[in-house]
Amino acid sequence: MKTVTFTIDGKIVRADKGQTILKAAEAAGIYIPRLCACKDLVPHGSCRVCSVRVNGRIQASCVQTAAEGAIVESETDELREYRRNIIDMLFVEGNHFCMFCEKSGFCELQALAYRFGITAPKYRLLYPKRDIDLSHPEVYLDHNRCILCGRCVRASQDLDRKNVFQFVERGCRKRLQVNGEALSDTDLRAADQAVSACPVGALMRKRVGYAVPVGRRPYDEVPIGRDIEKKGEE
Amino acid sequence: MAAKPRIATVSLAGCFGCHMSLLDLDERILKLAELVEFDRSPINDYKDFRARCAVGVVEGGCCTEENVHVLERFRKQCDLLVSIGECAISGGIPAMRNNIPLRECLEEAYLKSPGVYNPGGVIPNDPEIPLLLHRLYPCHEVVKIDLFIPGCPPPADAIWDALVSLLAGRPAAPAYDRLKYD
């Protein structure tokens, strides 16, 4: 297979031709923060957390393919601030009550906020009024926590072959919609990849919460992305 | 020897859990008492300030008019103000009413809720009772806050680290495993 060579923050990285910058960085042990990108899903570059500068231009590294000789910047003060601002905006835009959320300690949004050292919201909290769909016997959908990453939409279509979720409306009114009156009308099952694809506590299995004690959850001691960075140190 | 810096603490719309976490410092609370002089605080039950303070620690957000007055008084009386816990920082549980109209909340609590005995159908409105605001405000949306210690409650170690570095004049970013939102 043909390979291309480029640099990320001065480090030489090799990628297969057509491979995205995010994937190539990951293979080289460089972690680029991301939210809407998820293993096994086709990336769609919507959250912009994985933004990098490629030859001076800002690109979403989950969709941008690596090009021969490209100069990629990732860990700069500017990009760190952009990413942090996105995380900040996602927090104030929804109702994220970590203190009682079953996803706490497993949540990728929370883990990113920890990694960025966020101690307080930068923007005004909006406290939007959103619904919770408890109709399904095995799964619930809490729109308060949904960050519109589209991972469940893609997982349901591409992996589960069910098409349970879709986005409706636009801009600040954009929201997740299920294919039916309520979640119970759909053929969603708790074991579906769409459920496990949710990075936050929006799409959750019922009756399995709080199983892991505080202190032993994935992001209690170890920052998100550390596993990828470790590969680079070996 | 120079006078010890004074510290004041208060719980606004909180559950006193953050103050419990402060007590969870265990024997370090004695060390803290050596480092600082406690001014107004639920710990010594002083109801008002005795002198200007170096540090004010605020638990809980503002859900009543009285909360706002107390917070503004803390801002005036303290050199540095610290928001501690999720309620002070992002509203926490009391903020769950923020997208429900106040009248609906009161009707649910005093008229409609199962088990309510209120034959007169009266919603309490005595001037002695602090007036509820239409929604809860995090402290930093009311006054300037200098330092935030998140957590529900923040671990005692996080409070210790923050206070000690603050008193030493070098506010430090929290260690990864001490930064918690739950």
Side-chain angles (χ1 to χ4, degrees):
Chain A
M1 193 185 284
K2 271 186 86 175
T3 59
V4 294
T5 306
F6 67 108
T7 65
I8 300 178
D9 295 330
K11 190 181 167 186
I12 294 166
V13 176
R14 260 172 268 280
D16 299 332
K17 202 170 175 355
Q19 197 176 26
T20 63
I21 293 171
L22 187 97
K23 284 260 167 69
E26 199 168 308
I30 299 168
Y31 173 68
I32 301 172
R34 77 291 302 264
L35 255 181
C36 73
C38 179
K39 204 171 151 272
D40 303 329
L41 292 182
V42 179
H44 71 161
S46 68
C47 78
R48 315 312 280 188
V49 171
C50 71
S51 290
V52 292
R53 274 197 186 276
V54 184
N55 296 332
R57 286 186 62 169
I58 289 187
Q59 307 277 5
S61 64
C62 69
V63 286
Q64 186 65 32
T65 49
E68 181 65 35
I71 297 163
V72 176
E73 296 164 85
S74 176
E75 286 297 323
T76 64
D77 288 344
E78 179 207 32
L79 288 165
R80 257 197 299 268
E81 195 189 334
Y82 284 172
R83 291 169 185 160
R84 196 187 152 128
N85 287 349
I86 294 167
I87 306 298
D88 260 311
M89 285 188 268
L90 289 172
F91 263 98
V92 301
E93 198 180 48
N95 294 310
H96 298 279
F97 294 98
C98 296
M99 71 287 292
F100 61 78
C101 182
E102 293 161 63
K103 194 79 171 197
S104 192
F106 296 83
C107 173
E108 290 178 36
L109 178 68
Q110 184 193 57
L112 279 168
Y114 287 165
R115 190 183 162 103
F116 282 93
I118 295 172
T119 57
K122 177 175 176 175
Y123 307 104
R124 226 164 59 90
L125 287 140
L126 298 180
Y127 303 110
K129 191 165 176 56
R130 301 220 193 127
D131 293 327
I132 305 175
D133 186 337
L134 294 163
S135 63
H136 195 284
E138 301 170 345
V139 180
Y140 70 87
L141 173 59
D142 187 344
H143 291 278
N144 290 288
R145 303 167 182 165
C146 179
I147 55 168
L148 306 174
C149 66
R151 274 160 58 160
C152 60
V153 177
R154 284 171 286 154
S156 186
Q157 277 173 358
D158 302 340
L159 305 178
D160 301 330
R161 306 274 172 210
K162 286 184 178 176
N163 201 15
V164 171
F165 302 98
Q166 208 34 274
F167 286 128
V168 292
E169 303 218 47
R170 293 262 170 192
C172 65
R173 292 181 160 194
K174 184 172 173 176
R175 63 176 204 278
L176 190 67
Q177 179 70 51
V178 298
N179 189 8
E181 285 295 309
L183 210 52
S184 55
D185 296 337
T186 69
D187 45 4
L188 183 75
R189 289 288 165 269
D192 284 358
Q193 309 239 31
V195 178
S196 51
C198 182
V200 291
L203 199 53
M204 298 288 285
R205 283 178 63 198
K206 288 182 177 176
R207 294 178 292 276
V208 292
Y210 313 116
V212 183
V214 173
R216 278 196 251 149
R217 301 168 304 179
Y219 303 123
D220 278 334
E221 306 277 337
V222 186
I224 189 167
R226 194 73 193 92
D227 49 335
I228 293 171
E229 289 168 335
K230 260 194 178 147
K231 276 191 284 178
E233 288 160 14
E234 277 159 14
Chain B
M1 196 184 118
K4 286 195 274 187
R6 302 181 77 82
I7 182 169
T9 77
V10 71
S11 178
L12 304 175
C15 69
F16 273 91
C18 298
H19 275 78
M20 287 299 170
S21 204
L22 186 64
L23 296 178
D24 204 24
L25 287 172
D26 299 330
E27 72 274 14
R28 278 174 297 177
I29 197 98
L30 299 173
K31 186 102 195 303
L32 187 65
E34 273 173 34
L35 287 171
V36 299
E37 188 78 47
F38 270 90
D39 201 288
R40 172 186 175 149
S41 169
I43 290 170
N44 53 22
D45 212 20
Y46 291 166
K47 304 295 186 203
D48 203 3
F49 287 95
R50 311 204 142 190
R52 191 167 175 79
C53 290
V55 180
V57 176
V58 184
E59 166 190 344
C62 292
C63 78
T64 69
E65 201 181 37
E66 194 231 356
N67 291 154
V68 175
H69 292 157
V70 172
L71 182 60
E72 283 173 340
R73 183 144 172 74
F74 261 71
R75 183 66 273 183
K76 272 199 185 124
Q77 288 291 320
C78 305
D79 296 338
L80 291 168
L81 216 49
V82 184
S83 249
I84 140 170
E86 285 306 306
C87 298
I89 293 171
S90 58
I93 303 292
M96 291 185 78
R97 77 167 167 99
N98 275 11
N99 47 41
I100 303 165
L102 181 58
R103 176 154 292 279
E104 248 177 73
C105 291
L106 290 169
E107 282 174 355
E108 185 63 32
Y110 291 105
L111 306 176
K112 293 181 187 161
S113 194
V116 165
Y117 179 73
N118 186 359
V122 178
I123 293 175
N125 191 26
D126 193 282
E128 287 283 305
I129 302 169
L131 191 69
L132 277 176
L133 302 177
H134 73 295
R135 52 160 275 209
L136 181 131
Y137 290 86
C139 290
H140 65 273
E141 290 188 12
V142 178
V143 298
K144 182 184 184 295
I145 299 291
D146 303 291
L147 185 73
F148 300 91
I149 313 175
C152 189
D157 288 326
I159 300 174
W160 175 256
D161 287 356
L163 287 183
V164 167
S165 58
L166 200 62
L167 291 167
R170 44 171 174 85
Y176 178 85
D177 58 346
R178 289 178 184 177
L179 175 61
K180 290 280 169 281
Y181 304 155
D182 60 2

